[in-house]
């Protein structure tokens, strides 16, 4: 809203923004200058400081600034916390596929088990997670649960963070000599399009992944007519055929490896990725240089890689492990999080290839997904057993192993609608009755797994639905029975629909749910109560109303697995 950082500091501070995060781009030198110029009153600065200090006093930071290490040992990682973390992991796990009842695994019959995948011996905790006192990886969990004497064959197979259009992780990049101990590229930014003269800015960029658009890369660089040179060394994690992929929107680009020019679009805008296939050896340091210059339009440049053109040595070793085992469990996941949005829903190609090659062995295979969102791929149709473990927390390895071997019966349900392909997005269960019920030309319109979906090692039956309306409350009762042979959890779900309304309403809306545990043969009467206020929506005049008429009640095990139906009327 202003072309001066000093003015931005004034507007923000006077609006009540006391702290700038994560750096002091405006509240550093620009704020200092604004105060010196008299643009910002010291009274405003003092009040901002006062509010920050007040918060610190309220939490006791000045009374007790240091933590008692002895007290930390008693609290962090204590027995109660470990038990809670384990139970949370157990209850979150969702069983998505179990063709032929491959799960749970019979530890009495298994003599060898192959534990495979880049997430087999690591435990992703999700963004902004603290580092716990201890973590149990899937490999550790499985080793603790197998019968003594059972052979556990472990192979990672491939790296977790390599795939089509995946930026080269900083851990494989180092600046030129003289920048020891840092990861990334040495970046030289020029205020001209020809890389001429002295750089206007020199810094370390973790990776080449920039979408500047019409903005300049930095305040000292013009938005038009700039150029950048990145230099450093690349140390690949595995020996194999790699494809280096350079995408340069709005400008020209060049890429060298060990002094050899591999791609060149310096004098033209190339809308398609520039690709170079090279053979790289694990652990060897290669000199890498990338140059970019803004020519016109939207400025963006990204350096990515892919090394799944052939079957890498790591995947071959994992396949051999699967061939030698009675059962294979493959742990895969994705790169996601803040500033890590995904354009594709598929697994990174090396991980897809890993799953595909293991499936070819004919060994009974279980795939465990450790992700925070859905993935797609043809392999999902082929794999007999699929578990969604999410980011299961510090005790995740134990919880996963308990589910694999049947010590715990999974009862988690999906909190979102799982698409067949990215082209279906946005996809959700509570759509309105419009024209979206048709299929695509090349794909069904239905989801791969619906909202609220999740399998169990046992079976549940629903019966005896009763709906009673008393005043402004509606009590819905029904019976759930465990008709299978194992104790298990069921998450019963209550959906409401108004089939006729003056405002188009969703085909169904989740209003209540409840998790219950039943022993084999046990029945339980479930009562769920909704208020009329739960049925309210905004009418044509944007007033919140409860419209008279008939409302339908759906009781189900998911948004698509409806077991009981009934209705009531609002006068």
């Amino acid at each position: 809203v202003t072309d001066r950082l000093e003015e931005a500091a004034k507007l923000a501070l006077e609006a009540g923004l006391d702290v700038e995060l994560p750096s002091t781009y405006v509240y550093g030198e620009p704020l200092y200058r604004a105060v010196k110029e008299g643009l910002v009153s010291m009274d405003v600065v003092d009040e901002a400081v006062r509010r920050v200090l007040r918060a610190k006093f309220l939490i006791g930071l000045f009374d007790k600034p240091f933590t008692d290490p002895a007290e930390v040992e008693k609290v962090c990682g204590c027995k109660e916390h470990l038990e809670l973390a384990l139970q949370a992991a157990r209850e979150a796990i969702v069983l998505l596929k179990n063709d032929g009842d491959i799960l749970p695994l019979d530890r009495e019959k298994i003599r060898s088990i192959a534990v495979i995948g880049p997430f087999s011996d690591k435990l992703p905790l999700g963004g902004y997670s603290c580092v716990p006192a201890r973590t149990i990886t899937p490999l550790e969990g499985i080793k603790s649960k197998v019968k003594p004497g059972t052979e556990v064959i472990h192979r990672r197979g491939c790296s977790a963070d390599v795939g089509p259009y995946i930026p080269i992780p900083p851990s494989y990049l180092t600046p030129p000599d003289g920048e020891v101990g840092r990861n990334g590229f040495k970046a030289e930014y020029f205020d001209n399009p020809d890389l001429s003269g002295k750089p206007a800015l020199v810094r370390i960029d973790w990776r080449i992944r920039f979408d500047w658009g019409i903005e300049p890369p930095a305040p000292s660089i013009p938005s038009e007519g700039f150029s950048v040179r990145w230099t450093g060394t690349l140390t690949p994690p595995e020996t194999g055929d790699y494809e280096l992929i350079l995408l340069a929107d709005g400008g020209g680009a060049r890429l060298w490896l060990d002094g050899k020019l591999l791609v060149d679009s310096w004098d033209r805008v190339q809308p398609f990725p520039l690709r170079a296939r090279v053979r790289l050896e694990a652990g060897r340091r290669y000199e890498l240089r990338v140059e970019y210059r803004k020519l016109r339009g939207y400025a963006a440049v990204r350096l990515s890689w892919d090394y799944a053109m052939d079957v890498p040595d790591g995947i071959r070793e994992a396949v051999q492990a699967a061939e030698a085992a009675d059962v294979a469990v493959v742990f895969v996941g994705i790169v996601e999080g803040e500033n890590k949005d995904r354009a594709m829903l598929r697994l990174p190609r090396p991980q897809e290839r890993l799953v595909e090659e293991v499936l070819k062995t004919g060994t009974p295979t279980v795939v465990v997904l450790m992700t925070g969102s859905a993935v797609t791929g043809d392999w999902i149709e082929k794999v007999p057993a699929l578990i969604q473990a999410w980011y299961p927390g510090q005790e995740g390895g134990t919880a996963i192993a308990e589910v694999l071997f049947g010590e715990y019966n999974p009862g988690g349900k999906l909190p979102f609608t799982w698409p067949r392909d990215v082209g279906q997005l946005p996809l959700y269960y509570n759509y309105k009755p419009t024209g979206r019920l048709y299929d695509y030309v090349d794909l069904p319109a239905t989801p791969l797994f619906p909202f609220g979906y999740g399998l169990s090692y046992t079976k549940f039956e629903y019966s005896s639905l009763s709906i009673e309306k008393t005043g402004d409350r509606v009590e819905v009762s029904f019976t759930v029975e465990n008709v299978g042979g194992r104790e298990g959890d069921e998450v019963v779900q209550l959906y409401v629909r108004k089939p006729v309304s003056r405002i188009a309403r969703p085909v169904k809306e989740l209003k209540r749910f409840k998790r219950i545990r039943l022993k084999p043969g046990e029945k339980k009467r479930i009562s769920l109560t909704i208020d009329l206020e739960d049925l309210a929506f905004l009418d044509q005049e944007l007033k919140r109303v409860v419209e008279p008429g008939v409302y339908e009640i759906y009781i189900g095990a998911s948004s698509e697995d409806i077991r009981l139906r009934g209705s009531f009327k609002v006068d």
Side-chain angles (χ1 to χ4, degrees), residues 255-416:
L255 182 149
W256 287 264
L257 188 70
D258 273 355
K260 181 179 180 181
L261 181 63
L262 298 182
V263 298
D264 185 3
S265 69
W266 190 246
D267 294 319
R268 68 188 189 279
V269 175
Q270 169 61 269
F272 303 106
L274 304 167
R275 300 171 181 270
R277 185 168 177 172
V278 293
R279 183 75 177 180
L280 302 179
E281 298 178 9
R284 178 180 166 186
R285 290 164 59 93
Y286 295 85
E287 293 183 4
L288 186 63
R289 182 166 111 231
V290 176
E291 295 177 348
Y292 171 85
R293 66 171 174 175
K294 171 75 176 293
L295 294 176
R296 64 179 183 273
Y298 189 101
V301 57
R302 294 190 177 204
L303 178 63
S304 310
W305 67 359
D306 178 13
Y307 73 95
M309 286 73 70
D310 61 359
V311 180
D313 295 340
I315 292 181
R316 289 195 182 95
E317 294 173 358
V319 168
Q320 293 171 357
E323 290 174 335
D326 294 328
V327 64
V329 185
V330 186
F331 293 86
V332 291
I334 55 178
V335 176
E336 61 182 348
E338 183 182 9
N339 200 30
K340 295 178 182 177
D341 292 342
R342 300 159 63 205
M344 296 173 281
L345 292 185
R346 304 179 73 99
L347 289 172
R349 183 59 189 144
Q351 294 188 59
E352 282 192 332
R353 193 67 180 271
L354 174 64
V355 174
E356 292 165 356
E357 295 298 323
V358 170
L359 288 173
K360 289 178 184 178
T361 66
T363 299
T365 300
V366 181
V367 172
V368 180
L369 289 168
M370 304 184 77
T371 73
S373 54
V375 300
T376 60
D378 298 336
W379 60 269
I380 296 180
E381 176 186 346
K382 302 171 186 177
V383 70
L386 180 63
I387 291 173
Q388 175 66 17
W390 313 102
Y391 298 120
Q394 63 187 71
E395 297 295 307
T398 299
I400 292 169
E402 289 179 348
V403 168
L404 289 172
F405 292 107
E407 288 186 18
Y408 187 85
N409 189 349
K413 302 284 188 173
L414 286 180
F416 57 75

Side-chain angles (χ1 to χ4, degrees), residues 5-173:
L5 294 182
E6 293 81 2
E7 178 70 17
K10 167 184 169 63
L11 293 172
L13 203 61
E14 291 181 350
L17 183 66
D18 298 333
V19 179
E20 180 185 9
L21 292 172
S23 61
T24 51
Y25 179 68
V26 173
Y27 279 2
E29 190 64 27
L31 176 58
Y32 176 78
R33 290 196 300 267
V35 173
K36 295 289 287 184
E37 294 173 10
L39 190 62
V40 174
S41 166
M42 276 303 300
D43 290 340
V44 175
V45 176
D46 288 342
E47 182 55 35
V49 172
R50 186 176 293 110
R51 285 193 292 261
V52 173
L53 291 175
R54 184 181 297 118
K56 292 183 177 183
F57 276 114
L58 287 173
I59 64 174
L61 188 61
F62 294 102
D63 298 324
K64 195 175 181 181
F66 300 106
T67 302
D68 182 356
E71 190 67 20
V72 170
E73 292 295 327
K74 295 178 183 177
V75 177
C76 294
C78 67
K79 180 181 178 182
E80 292 79 9
H81 289 185
L82 297 181
E83 290 175 350
L84 179 61
L86 177 57
Q87 191 60 24
R90 288 167 174 160
E91 294 190 12
I93 291 173
V94 181
L95 179 61
L96 296 175
K97 289 188 67 179
N98 193 20
D99 298 346
D101 293 329
I102 184 176
L103 292 173
L105 303 175
D106 188 344
R107 77 186 78 206
E108 297 297 325
K109 296 180 180 179
I110 294 176
R111 294 165 299 174
S112 60
I113 180 171
V115 182
I116 295 169
F119 291 94
S120 56
D121 59 352
K122 62 188 295 187
L123 195 66
L125 298 174
Y128 287 89
S129 295
C130 296
V131 178
R134 76 166 194 180
T135 58
I136 305 297
T137 67
L139 178 62
E140 292 170 332
I142 289 173
K143 284 183 175 181
S144 70
K145 297 297 181 182
V146 296
K147 185 179 178 180
T150 301
E151 182 183 12
V152 178
I153 312 169
H154 176 239
R155 299 289 186 274
R156 299 195 79 232
C158 66
S159 173
D161 49 10
V162 181
Y165 294 91
I166 298 298
I168 301 176
S171 56
Y172 305 133
L173 302 169

